[in-house]
Structure formats: C-alpha cells, structure tokens
Amino acid sequence: MKRQTAAAIAALIVLAACDREINTVSRPLLGTIVNLTAVCDRETAARATQKAFDEIARIEALMSPYREGSDISQIARAHGPVRVSPETFALISQSVGISRLTGGAFDISFASIAHLWNYKDPGFVPPADSALDRARGLVDYRKIILDEKALTVRLAPGMKIGLGGIAKGYAVKRAVEVLMAEGVDSGIAEEGGDLQVFGSKNGGPWITGLMDPREKNLVLSIKLGHLDSVATSGDYERYAEYEGKRYGHIINPLTGRPAEGMVSVSVFSKDPVISDAYATAFFVMGVRKTAEFLKRNPDLGLSVILIDSGMKMYASASLKEKITFLEKWPVVEWIDRR
Ligand code: ADP
Ligand code: MG
C-alpha cells in the first residue's frame, strides 16, 4: 500500500513537471543574445516568449542609434527640439535624473565623445588629446533640454546621446512584464548578462553566477527572489588594446576617456533599469565613491559586487547570506553595512 502511494505521488510530480516545463528560447536582439525562460506549459511559453521578443524588438527600433528611424537617430540628425515617443522621453528623463544623483558619472551624452574611441576597429588607436579636448564640453547632461509637455528633446550643437547604458535594463523589465501579463508566473529575462527573474524555480530561489572576469570561470553563485534583477558592467567584453593598455567601452564623462580602476561591477535591485544604469555609473565612480553613494542613498535598494583592477572584491553585506563561493577569492571586503 505504502509503495502504491509513493508511485502515485511520483506520477503526479512527473505530470506536474510536464505541465510546467522550464522553456528557454534565445534570439539575437539588441546587439546581443536575449534568453527568455518561462516555466509553464509549452504552448503558453511559445506564445508569451514570442510577445516578449516582439516587445524587445519594438524597444530596439525606438531606441537603437543604429536604426534609421529610431528616436535616438532622429535626435542625432536634428538641429532643434525633436518630438519623441513617451517611452523614450521617460527613459531620457530618468537618465538625466540618475546623472544628477551620480554627479554626472552616468551621462547619456557620453555619446558626444564615444565615437572618437574606435575600439571596434582592429587597428585601434586612442584619439588625440586635442580631439578629446574639443569634444569634452559636449558631454554634459545639463545641456539636454527636455520639454515634458511637448515631449521634445533638444541637444546643443554637436552633442549626441546614447541609451546603451540603460535601454537593456528597460528591455529586460518590459520582457518580464509581458511574460507575466501572458500568464507565466515564473521565469527569467536575460540579455547579455543583465537579467530579472520572477516567481521561483520549482518553489526555490533562482540562482545566477558571477564569472571571474579574467579567468572566465564561475566564482560564486547567488540566490535571486521574485523580481530581483542584476546588471553587470565589465571591462572584459568590449574593449580594445593599444600598446599593452586596455581601453573599455564605458566612458568617464569627466575625462572623456574610458573609465579606469574597475574590472567588474554588478548591481542588484528590484528594477532592471536601475540595476543597468547604476552598474555603468559605479564602474565610472570606483569603489570609494560607490560605497559613499550607497550609504547616502539606502532608499534606492541597491546591492553591489565590485571587483577592482587589483582583483579585490567588495560586496554589500546584505548579499552575504545569498552568496555561495564556488572558488576561494583572495580578498573580499563586505561594505555598505546598514
Ligand atoms: P554592457 O552594455 O556591456 O552590458 P553597460 O551596461 O555598462 O555594459 O553599458 C555600457 C554602455 O553604456 C556603453 O557601451 C555605452 O553605450 C554606454 N555608456 C558608456 N559610458 C557611459 C556613461 N558614462 N554614462 C552612460 N552611458 C554610458
Ligand atoms: Mg548596464
């Protein structure tokens, strides 16, 4: 009798597992690979992920600097105020707000100088100081003029903006919203390392890992709960080398040069937009300024794992119970105790 019950329970579990499969679908979008995971029956997963991919494609068409008709391309071409979609306007306003809070470390007008850094070019050479000096004045979020009523954006002549440091977070957030609206109650939206999870993995937490930026092996795993998001900014994916020096794709708006001092910055919060933007900001700010910022702004709900160029790790004390080290890291300092 006991045996029969056990067999019946096993069958039930198998059935439940059939109904609620972990479905992952991947597509190239936003210049990276987007992976969507939906824990549900296959039919729901197919429908929901299709809608979420459509949503990401829509955001890309609106915000990519490489798309002819995008809001960002139109702003770049114009000589006066440009009317943009309410979504682009909202993301630009939010970006300017984050610039104010971070003392300009995050600044979407970095694009006014970034084009001088041809780090994708195999024959990469750093730009001349004179060219950087001329462009540096154009990197200034205070020169982005926003008209909330008319939904227009106006830049100073020669200025450019780019949403590369925040739009991926927005796409992750919208993808999760779409998956949930389509009836999926557990899953993940992940785009080039930035992700948000929702629900649970078979009743337990979702788990993500952090790579050693130099050795490329997994250093630690970390548990994520409903709507936890993480974004990582690193110097190890997109960079160029010249005479033995590494030049990354995150610009320090103050110098007009690639930010130095950090190797990897991961930010955890409940909002993928915030995680994405602050990962970029903290990469520019470095350890000391980031630790001060976290102390001053506890209401933002941010936690971090930072690795500086000396390969020292700094992690928010609030993450301690969620982290499992898979490999011993030489130095870890717990910061941001509240
Ligand atoms: P990744 O795109 O590799 O995940 P990030 O999320 O940190 O890395 O975004 C880096 C991108 O942000 C750059 O490729 C560029 O488009 C943009 N960016 C670079 N410097 C800044 C800055 N100081 N402020 C805002 N955005 C920036
Ligand atoms: Mg980012």
Side-chain angles (χ1 to χ4, degrees):
M1 180 66 208
K2 251 194 177 164
R3 250 199 200 163
Q4 258 180 4
T5 316
I9 289 171
L12 262 179
I13 291 169
V14 171
L15 263 182
C18 275
D19 265 335
R20 294 176 52 79
E21 281 176 79
I22 298 187
N23 306 275
T24 301
V25 192
S26 308
R27 288 207 198 149
L29 273 167
L30 296 168
T32 177
I33 304 290
V34 177
N35 302 298
L36 300 179
T37 299
V39 186
C40 55
D41 63 279
R42 243 184 246 187
E43 222 168 277
T44 307
R47 193 189 63 241
T49 53
Q50 179 59 49
K51 286 211 170 160
F53 281 124
D54 289 349
E55 175 66 359
I56 297 168
R58 189 186 66 78
I59 292 167
E60 184 170 24
L62 218 47
M63 300 182 187
S64 166
Y66 310 112
R67 296 295 187 84
E68 264 295 298
S70 76
D71 283 341
I72 297 303
S73 297
Q74 292 189 36
I75 294 169
R77 277 198 302 270
H79 296 285
V82 179
R83 189 184 166 86
V84 295
S85 70
E87 272 172 294
T88 307
F89 189 89
L91 207 56
I92 292 174
S93 315
Q94 188 175 4
S95 297
V96 172
I98 294 171
S99 298
R100 285 198 201 100
L101 271 175
T102 59
F106 184 85
D107 188 336
I108 55 173
S109 70
F110 81 95
S112 312
I113 207 162
H115 60 93
L116 295 175
W117 294 91
N118 60 332
Y119 65 89
K120 282 182 192 153
D121 193 332
F124 168 79
V125 182
D129 287 348
S130 54
L132 290 175
D133 288 342
R134 274 195 302 277
R136 204 160 40 220
L138 299 173
V139 181
D140 187 349
Y141 64 91
R142 288 162 297 197
K143 294 179 181 160
I144 302 171
I145 311 296
L146 300 176
D147 183 331
E148 230 169 283
K149 286 216 181 81
L151 287 184
T152 59
V153 181
R154 178 183 196 156
L155 304 179
M159 240 178 126
K160 288 186 174 57
I161 58 172
L163 296 175
I166 192 167
K168 216 166 11 141
Y170 182 62
V172 166
K173 180 180 188 146
R174 285 296 306 141
V176 167
E177 284 171 358
V178 169
L179 291 174
M180 287 171 66
E182 290 301 313
V184 181
D185 56 23
S186 295
I188 310 170
E190 189 259 329
E191 307 178 12
D194 291 12
L195 60 87
Q196 184 175 35
V197 305
F198 59 104
S200 68
K201 188 185 183 185
N202 301 326
W206 290 103
I207 293 173
T208 187
L210 185 75
M211 299 268 263
D212 179 332
R214 293 290 182 258
E215 306 298 327
K216 304 270 164 76
N217 48 344
L218 226 46
V219 175
L220 56 82
S221 68
I222 182 157
K223 291 181 193 151
L224 300 176
H226 183 53
L227 295 182
D228 278 344
S229 75
V230 56
T232 300
S233 289
D235 77 341
Y236 47 98
E237 274 190 342
R238 287 191 276 151
Y239 64 92
E241 260 171 355
Y242 181 73
E243 295 186 340
K245 195 169 149 60
R246 199 182 266 245
Y247 296 87
H249 65 121
I250 297 176
I251 300 286
N252 180 341
L254 290 181
T255 62
R257 297 168 179 283
E260 288 181 25
M262 300 308 290
V263 165
S264 172
V265 172
S266 299
V267 176
F268 300 78
S269 81
K270 292 286 185 192
D271 182 345
V273 179
I274 293 290
S275 297
D276 191 10
Y278 280 97
T280 307
F282 294 160
F283 194 92
V284 172
M285 288 159 71
V287 174
R288 197 179 49 80
K289 280 192 181 161
T290 298
E292 283 166 11
F293 181 91
L294 293 172
K295 276 223 173 87
R296 277 202 316 275
N297 297 282
D299 47 310
L300 286 174
L302 306 177
S303 307
V304 299
I305 300 177
L306 317 170
I307 301 175
D308 70 11
S309 42
M311 289 293 149
K312 180 170 174 183
M313 186 185 292
Y314 305 79
S316 295
S318 57
L319 294 177
K320 210 167 185 173
E321 316 86 80
K322 297 179 185 169
I323 293 178
T324 306
F325 280 91
L326 306 173
E327 226 168 79
K328 197 170 156 44
W329 194 262
V331 199
V332 183
E333 188 178 322
W334 299 96
I335 58 169
D336 180 30
R337 290 170 202 282
R338 284 168 218 165

